């Protein structure tokens, strides 16, 4: 389902900036509406290049995705092939994540292999090693945006959540360094049901918005280190509460319409996660593999995901954060306790498939 909306002034500004700095990427993005109408994916590749990290966060969602050494994993040469296939599909966005990208020794090679002239490149970071010099370097090599993790205005609370002393101060420094370097900056913050309506969270939004920093909310999901933590999950009333905040604050979730498109849940249709080992997952929190990039084309794998009704059709909620029935039926019963990611054939059945899916908006 395609629900067209007018671009916000800031979205219009960024799109014009992209038209000037990366005209080829701009051309691909201008075709997104047409692709969505045809029922095609316009997925951001959330690329988990490596799981090396200097933090041990309480909620870490990739803790059980790590495997023993010896299995095939991405090299810069593989990244170049991923980029080629994604470009052929008309995709335009790649997020380098992990782990912590700022400690990857071959980060520059990764960016070069992606090819900044063909993609809008974002890098996640906890900010610990993102100082002024590093921020300017990221801008120079072709990174467009950084997404910095910050989870409280209270330094002790943030440091405890991230299990790293000094993390709060380094994150604030990273925000300023990235802004000064001319990078687009957003803050990603983890929000539980308990935090959502707190005074701390409202003050958090106001504090960052005064610094001209948008806030991306990642709602708590009961996976990874938080497996079985259903109490932290939100519901539809909580989603409506946040949607109300969007009217007065620069805050958004993956459900928030962007660049004129309202796609609902963006799993597969607007995002897939690519693991270190080549598995393609519907999103960072749905730990089921739709196929492996090292074994078959990216296009075939994403098309397979679009044939699953939960991803190929419009869904007005976050399945992993706000739908306990879905999580208990598909995740708790079919994914918990198994080596990750679990093959999609063990999670979804024939009743979950779209019958003779036609490439047009439903």
């Amino acid at each position: 389902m395609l629900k067209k909306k007018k671009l916000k002034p800031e979205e219009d500004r960024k799109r014009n900036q992209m038209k000037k700095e990366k005209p080829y990427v701009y051309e691909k993005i201008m075709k997104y509406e047409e692709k969505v109408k045809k029922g095609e994916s316009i997925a951001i590749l959330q690329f988990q290049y490596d799981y090396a990290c200097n933090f041990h966060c309480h909620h870490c969602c990739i803790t059980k995705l790590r495997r023993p050494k010896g299995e095939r994993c991405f090299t810069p040469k593989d990244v170049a092939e991923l980029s080629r296939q994604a470009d052929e599909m008309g995709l335009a966005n790649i997020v380098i994540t992990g782990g912590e990208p700022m400690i990857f020794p071959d980060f520059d090679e990764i960016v070069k292999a992606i090819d900044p002239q063909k993609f809008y490149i974002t890098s996640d970071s906890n900010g610990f090693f993102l100082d002024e010099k590093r921020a300017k370097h990221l801008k120079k090599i072709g990174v467009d945006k950084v997404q910095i993790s910050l989870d409280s205005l209270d330094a002790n609370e943030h440091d405890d959540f991230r299990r790293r002393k000094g993390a709060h101060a380094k994150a604030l420094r990273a925000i300023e360094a990235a802004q000064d370097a001319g990078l687009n900056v957003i803050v990603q913050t983890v929000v539980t049901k308990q935090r959502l309506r707190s005074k701390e969270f409202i003050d958090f939004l106001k504090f960052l918005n005064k610094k001209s920093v948008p806030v991306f909310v990642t709602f708590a999901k009961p996976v990874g280190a938080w497996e079985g933590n259903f109490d932290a999950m939100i519901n539809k009333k909580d989603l409506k509460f946040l949607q109300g905040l969007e009217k007065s604050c620069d805050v958004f979730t993956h459900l928030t319409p962007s660049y004129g498109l309202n796609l609902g849940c963006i799993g597969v249709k607007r995002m897939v996660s690519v693991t270190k080992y080549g598995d393609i997952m519907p999103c960072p929190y749905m730990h089921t593999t739709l196929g492996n990039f090292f074994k078959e084309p990216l296009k075939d794998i994403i098309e397979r995901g679009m044939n699953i009704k939960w991803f190929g059709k419009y869904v007005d909620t976050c399945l992993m954060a706000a739908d306990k029935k879905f999580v208990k039926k598909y995740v708790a019963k079919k994914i918990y306790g198994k080596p990750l990611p679990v093959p999609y054939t063990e999670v979804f059945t024939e009743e979950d498939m779209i019958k003779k899916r036609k490439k047009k908006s439903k």
Side-chain angles (χ1 to χ4, degrees):
M1 179 180 289
L2 175 61
K3 297 182 179 181
K4 192 77 169 61
K5 288 197 174 187
K6 186 178 179 180
L7 266 64
K8 299 176 183 177
E10 181 63 12
E11 290 177 329
D12 195 50
R13 181 192 70 79
K14 289 181 179 179
R15 184 163 284 185
N16 287 331
Q17 179 184 7
M18 184 185 298
K19 184 178 182 180
K20 179 181 179 181
E21 297 180 356
K22 294 189 173 184
Y24 179 70
V25 179
Y26 173 82
E27 289 176 8
K28 288 196 287 187
I29 289 177
M30 291 306 292
K31 296 176 182 178
Y32 273 2
E33 183 179 342
E34 180 183 348
K35 289 173 69 65
V36 171
K37 286 180 178 179
K38 292 179 180 179
E40 297 177 8
S41 171
I42 54 171
I44 298 167
L45 300 185
Q46 196 253 7
F47 183 32
Q48 301 171 2
Y49 179 75
D50 199 345
Y51 296 133
C53 191
N54 59 318
F55 282 14
H56 299 281
C57 305
H58 277 279
H59 70 304
C60 183
C61 70
I62 57 91
T63 182
K64 296 185 178 182
L65 290 174
R66 292 186 176 97
R67 298 177 186 173
K69 291 183 179 180
E71 291 201 36
R72 181 177 179 181
C73 54
F74 271 94
T75 65
K77 184 177 180 180
D78 296 317
V79 176
E81 177 60 19
L82 178 68
S83 170
R84 185 192 69 78
Q85 291 190 29
D87 181 45
E88 282 189 351
M89 293 175 65
L91 305 182
N93 304 78
I94 293 182
V95 179
I96 303 171
T97 188
E100 169 52 40
M102 295 303 105
I103 69 172
F104 297 166
D106 50 355
F107 184 89
D108 288 18
E109 292 181 68
I110 301 167
V111 173
K112 184 178 180 180
I114 291 171
D115 192 344
Q117 293 308 307
K118 293 181 179 178
F119 291 90
Y120 186 86
I121 301 175
T122 301
S123 179
D124 285 344
S125 180
N126 56 40
F128 205 81
F129 296 111
L130 185 54
D131 57 15
E132 184 177 342
K133 181 179 179 181
R134 187 66 187 274
K136 289 180 178 179
H137 179 71
L138 294 185
K139 180 68 175 179
K140 182 179 179 181
I141 64 174
V143 174
D144 300 285
K145 181 169 73 174
V146 290
Q147 183 168 278
I148 299 169
S149 298
L150 186 66
D151 297 293
S152 177
L153 290 181
D154 184 280
N156 290 329
E157 287 184 3
H158 175 81
D159 290 0
D160 178 69
F161 186 66
R162 295 288 170 173
R163 290 183 173 139
R164 186 64 185 256
K165 188 175 182 180
H168 186 269
K170 293 290 182 66
L172 292 179
R173 179 200 63 180
I175 292 169
E176 292 187 5
Q179 286 181 317
D180 291 343
L183 291 162
N184 287 320
V185 183
I186 63 173
V187 157
Q188 177 175 277
T189 192
V190 179
V191 176
T192 61
K193 184 178 184 67
Q194 294 74 24
R195 187 188 181 204
L196 179 59
R197 288 178 169 79
S198 69
K199 182 178 182 301
E200 179 275 328
F201 180 58
I202 304 302
D203 291 343
F204 181 90
L205 297 179
K206 292 178 179 178
F207 171 79
L208 288 163
N209 287 175
K210 283 183 179 179
K211 292 180 175 291
S212 299
V213 179
V215 177
F216 173 60
V217 168
T218 298
F219 284 119
K221 285 93 172 173
V223 297
W226 270 0
E227 185 175 296
N229 187 8
F230 301 116
D231 291 339
M233 292 180 67
I234 60 163
N235 55 34
K236 287 194 174 183
K237 288 184 178 180
D238 296 323
L239 279 175
K240 288 184 179 179
F241 175 79
L242 185 68
Q243 288 168 354
L245 290 179
E246 290 179 16
K247 297 176 182 179
S248 58
C249 300
D250 195 354
V251 59
F252 61 102
T253 72
H254 68 277
L255 294 171
T256 305
S258 62
Y259 294 104
L261 300 176
N262 180 6
L263 301 176
C265 172
I266 64 173
V268 184
K269 63 178 70 69
R270 181 62 176 134
M271 170 179 277
V272 292
S273 289
V274 184
T275 74
K276 174 180 179 178
Y277 312 104
D279 289 299
I280 310 296
M281 305 187 299
C283 81
Y285 312 100
M286 174 63 69
H287 294 159
T288 180
T289 177
L290 302 170
N292 191 285
F293 172 74
F294 297 142
K295 298 178 181 179
E296 56 185 322
L298 179 67
K299 182 178 180 180
D300 293 350
I301 298 172
I302 290 182
E303 176 65 22
R304 180 179 298 133
M306 289 292 284
N307 278 315
I308 298 173
K309 68 180 181 181
W310 302 105
F311 313 122
K313 291 186 176 182
Y314 183 87
V315 176
D316 67 351
T317 190
C318 177
L319 296 170
M320 292 301 299
D323 192 333
K324 287 186 180 179
K325 288 184 179 179
F326 178 89
V327 171
K328 290 183 177 180
K329 178 179 179 180
Y330 291 95
V331 182
K333 288 185 177 180
K334 299 181 179 183
I335 295 179
Y336 283 1
K338 296 181 179 180
L340 302 181
V342 177
Y344 79 99
T345 52
E346 296 180 21
V347 178
F348 302 107
T349 63
E350 193 63 31
E351 68 177 15
D352 298 303
M353 303 300 165
I354 298 174
K355 307 297 183 182
K356 297 182 180 179
R357 191 175 71 85
K358 295 181 180 180
K359 290 190 175 182
K360 64 180 181 178
S361 179
K362 298 294 181 181

